[in-house]
Amino acid sequence: QAQLVEAGGGLVQPGGSLRLSCSASGSIFSPNTMGWYRQAPGKQRELVATINSSRMTYYADSVKGRITISRDNAKNTVSLEMNSLKPEDTAVYYCWMLMVAKVYWGQGTQVTVSS
């Protein structure tokens, strides 16, 4: 079993930046893939970015060039650096991990982009 805890959400103005972080604890096995999903009000949860143990990354088209995902394998953490934020980036952001064919979710952290 693994537990994921996010941190770093908040309110930011359009064009601003925000960094989210997620720490995984419990029984963590490698290889695994970690990432972030988000869910805006009234919309389905969508994939934002993923990174595997070899640091291969994937980004949704909507965030390419504005968001960078990174991880620290030794600390079992994953981070999301978000720049040039737009109001449409407003959502609850969920940390996600795929490990040994099982999916784990964090509790979510709110990101609000508004002036």
Side-chain angles (χ1 to χ4, degrees), residues 21-101:
S21 61
C22 172
S23 295
S25 61
S27 299
I28 309 299
F29 301 99
S30 185
N32 59 63
T33 300
M34 299 185 77
W36 294 87
Y37 278 71
R38 67 185 181 186
Q39 187 167 20
K43 294 188 176 181
Q44 288 189 331
R45 193 172 295 190
E46 64 175 2
L47 176 63
V48 177
T50 63
I51 183 169
N52 66 14
S53 298
S54 300
R55 294 188 174 83
M56 291 183 63
T57 59
Y58 168 85
Y59 294 95
D61 288 341
S62 59
V63 304
K64 280 181 181 176
R66 302 188 297 118
I67 287 180
T68 302
I69 190 169
S70 61
R71 66 183 289 166
D72 185 328
N73 290 336
K75 296 181 179 180
N76 294 319
T77 60
V78 61
S79 298
L80 197 67
E81 187 74 35
M82 303 188 291
N83 300 307
S84 303
L85 284 164
K86 307 174 182 179
E88 50 264 43
D89 293 317
T90 295
V92 177
Y93 283 71
Y94 295 91
C95 182
W96 169 92
M97 181 168 68
L98 174 63
M99 181 178 66
V100 195

